[in-house]
Amino acid sequence: MRRRMLKYFAYSLISVMLIFVACQNFPDYIPEYNPGNGNCNVTKFCVMSDLHYFSPQLLLNDGTAFQTYLSQDRKLLIESGAILTSAINMIKAEKPKFVLISGDLTKDGEKVGHLEVVNYLKLLKQANIKVFVCPGNHDINNPDAKSFDGDIATPVTTITPEEFKQMYAEFGYNDALYIDPNSLSYVAEPVKGTWILSMDACLYKNNTTTPIISGKFSDATLTWIKDRLLEAKKKNIRVLGMMHHGIAEHFIGEKALFGEYVIDDWNMVSAQLANLGLNFVFTGHFHAQDIVKAIGGKNYMFDIETGSLSSYPCPVRVVQMLPNQSMAIYTKKVQSIDFNIGEAANFQEYAYDFLSDGMDVAIPYLLMSTPYSLSEIQARALTPAVKEAMMAHYAGDEKPPSPQTQATIDMLLQGDEASQMLGGALISIYTDPAPTDNGLIVNMKNGVGVQ
């Protein structure tokens, strides 16, 4: 309890501090942050992930086909354009030097959706904000690319890896110093002395009748990544990584329970890349606001996962690399959209209720599938506890579970192997290790953060 109280106190302190770290508002009582003569040597950038943009052209008529899709994959698809517009306006107000988007730009890789996302991103470019994208598992060669018309879902055109590179040429590839010939990975230099290493671990080349969700670096791409890091290390260049899949577990047992959301061989890969100087990797995929220190010590690594823009809490991360060699990471959320949100008091309440209601359907389906294979009665009995944990994880900085959920966890921990696995995963979400998820300041020299 004492540790958690200290964690919350530190988070509150960070939140207060971060109000002042914009370039024009450095507090005088923190000399290292004060630009003095007004020449502000701060690199500010923003991060979005999992936009899952859904083109209005793909919904001819609402009906059972579209609603069935939503019941199994709860995202704010109809609202996605309005959410993206608000996020772009929010980012423009922040005036960052660049934006990172860590994959899943579209619902399911529909070509029409990609074309429209490109037009949205041009709004940032017109504001002199560079944008760098990487593909997600939904974006390429996706057999689930469909339009919806009442009871009928019809396949529509998706895109190839080469088309992705061409469509997003203005958002990474044209400015690339290097492009991996074996994947859509690349290196760009948005500001002098800082490289963006966009790493593609998606397996879209192997998609057939169903899309592959999991991720893995090919041997050739992993070698290419290591070569780029070796060069950066020799040249004393800081490298910021970006990829769609997690490069580390964000809670104990994540790889066992949700293996498709963390790359294969993550332990080995994260250690190797950290040893080569990759300290910060911005990821997505699991739709959660969560920061984990994957590797400690001198060769440290943070996996900074950003939640989905199309799912509660609809976050955008704002990051500043400060003159004193600190990195300040904080969170902003979409607060309003140009869309009818009904009787909800505000958009955040609307987004929360949409996800919460959808989980009442999605979680029983999950629990009745492998590895749990529970009966419907068992699955529905466990749903409230699982939902509470997942909603807390999506938001980040998880609060202690309710007494009812704690009782369910205790029961699971006394059960069979599968029950213990689920109970262990739930308790690990609530005992989320430091650092904090939504606000953090890290010393980039040694990886020590304000916890």
Side-chain angles (χ1 to χ4, degrees):
M1 178 63 71
R2 175 179 172 81
R3 180 175 177 275
R4 188 171 294 276
M5 289 177 66
L6 289 172
K7 179 179 178 182
Y8 290 154
F9 173 77
Y11 173 68
S12 299
L13 177 62
I14 293 169
S15 299
V16 172
M17 291 173 66
L18 289 174
I19 293 173
F20 299 101
V21 295
C23 175
Q24 66 273 26
N25 291 314
F26 281 98
D28 292 335
Y29 54 83
I30 305 180
E32 298 90 344
Y33 292 179
N34 196 326
N37 61 5
N39 295 321
C40 183
N41 186 26
V42 174
T43 297
K44 178 193 276 192
F45 62 96
C46 293
V47 184
M48 295 190 289
S49 190
D50 296 79
L51 313 183
H52 290 290
Y53 174 77
F54 180 62
S55 170
Q57 298 182 56
L58 296 169
L59 186 60
L60 305 178
N61 288 290
D62 198 356
T64 56
F66 184 65
Q67 292 304 318
T68 298
Y69 181 93
L70 282 182
S71 70
Q72 297 172 356
D73 197 349
R74 198 68 168 170
K75 305 186 189 87
L76 291 159
L77 295 180
I78 296 177
E79 302 89 342
S80 61
I83 296 171
L84 183 53
T85 296
S86 288
I88 286 172
N89 289 335
M90 189 164 64
I91 289 170
K92 287 166 66 176
E94 287 289 329
K95 299 181 180 178
K97 287 186 169 65
F98 59 90
V99 175
L100 305 181
I101 305 179
S102 52
D104 280 358
L105 291 92
T106 56
K107 170 189 160 287
D108 282 312
E110 304 87 356
K111 185 173 184 177
V112 64
H114 280 296
L115 291 170
E116 292 174 12
V117 167
V118 166
N119 287 332
Y120 277 102
L121 300 187
K122 285 180 178 179
L123 298 174
L124 291 170
K125 184 179 179 182
Q126 290 165 8
N128 295 317
I129 300 170
K130 297 178 181 179
V131 180
F132 300 93
V133 305
C134 73
N137 60 287
H138 279 259
D139 287 326
I140 297 170
N141 289 344
N142 194 333
D144 284 344
K146 296 175 181 177
S147 65
F148 300 90
D149 189 1
D151 299 339
I152 301 171
T154 304
V156 298
T157 303
T158 183
I159 66 170
T160 65
E162 189 57 37
E163 286 174 317
F164 183 93
K165 190 187 299 183
Q166 292 169 357
M167 285 184 173
Y168 294 97
E170 297 178 68
F171 308 109
Y173 296 98
N174 279 353
D175 294 328
L177 303 177
Y178 304 98
I179 298 177
D180 176 24
N182 303 290
S183 74
L184 290 172
S185 304
Y186 64 90
V187 171
E189 189 173 27
V191 295
K192 187 174 177 58
T194 297
W195 281 2
I196 301 301
L197 174 58
S198 179
M199 300 177 288
D200 176 16
C202 298
L203 301 175
Y204 43 76
K205 293 178 183 178
N206 301 327
N207 283 351
T208 53
T209 56
T210 57
I212 297 175
I213 301 172
S214 57
K216 179 180 182 179
F217 290 126
S218 68
D219 291 341
T221 292
L222 187 58
T223 298
W224 181 88
I225 290 169
K226 291 177 180 178
D227 288 345
R228 302 289 76 75
L229 290 172
L230 280 169
E231 180 183 350
K233 199 168 188 178
K234 290 177 182 177
K235 294 180 176 178
N236 197 30
I237 292 172
R238 182 177 302 284
V239 181
L240 301 176
M242 170 175 65
M243 59 188 290
H244 185 58
H245 295 77
I247 199 168
E249 285 190 323
H250 284 260
F251 54 88
I252 297 171
E254 182 182 15
K255 185 61 178 175
L257 289 168
F258 303 102
E260 297 165 321
Y261 294 89
V262 183
I263 59 166
D264 293 353
D265 303 318
W266 68 271
N267 264 315
M268 176 192 72
V269 172
S270 59
Q272 289 178 348
L273 301 190
N275 287 338
L276 293 171
L278 186 59
N279 301 133
F280 300 95
V281 182
F282 293 88
T283 66
H285 197 26
F286 200 78
H287 292 196
Q289 279 288 101
D290 195 86
I291 302 177
V292 64
K293 193 172 185 178
I295 306 292
K298 180 181 178 181
N299 299 321
Y300 68 93
M301 177 185 284
F302 286 86
D303 181 326
I304 304 163
E305 180 187 347
T306 300
S308 171
L309 193 66
S310 67
S311 256
Y312 171 81
C314 307
V316 173
R317 289 198 186 273
V318 182
V319 185
Q320 294 189 83
M321 294 190 292
L322 305 169
N324 69 340
Q325 292 296 299
S326 290
M327 177 182 284
I329 306 168
Y330 53 108
T331 300
K332 291 204 165 187
K333 302 170 186 175
V334 173
Q335 298 294 337
S336 63
I337 62 173
D338 185 11
F339 190 89
N340 182 5
I341 61 172
E343 297 180 359
N346 53 59
F347 173 68
Q348 280 291 309
E349 179 182 294
Y350 176 85
Y352 180 95
D353 290 345
F354 184 88
L355 180 59
S356 177
D357 293 346
M359 282 192 167
D360 289 332
V361 177
I363 290 174
Y365 175 81
L366 171 69
L367 295 178
M368 288 187 283
S369 305
T370 54
Y372 313 109
S373 302
L374 301 181
S375 69
E376 183 176 355
I377 293 176
Q378 291 171 316
R380 293 197 178 281
L382 292 175
T383 291
V386 176
K387 181 171 82 168
E388 182 182 324
M390 296 309 297
M391 294 292 291
H393 185 53
Y394 290 153
D397 297 310
E398 300 84 349
K399 296 178 181 179
S402 65
Q404 296 87 346
T405 293
Q406 185 63 59
T408 300
I409 292 172
D410 293 340
M411 177 193 70
L412 288 169
L413 293 175
Q414 299 301 315
D416 59 20
E417 184 177 352
S419 296
Q420 291 177 21
M421 183 184 297
L422 177 58
L426 294 180
I427 197 63
S428 70
I429 288 174
Y430 285 111
T431 55
D432 184 18
T436 50
D437 300 320
N438 286 297
L440 176 68
I441 298 176
V442 179
N443 183 328
M444 291 187 289
K445 295 177 183 178
N446 55 24
V448 175
V450 178
Q451 308 296 341

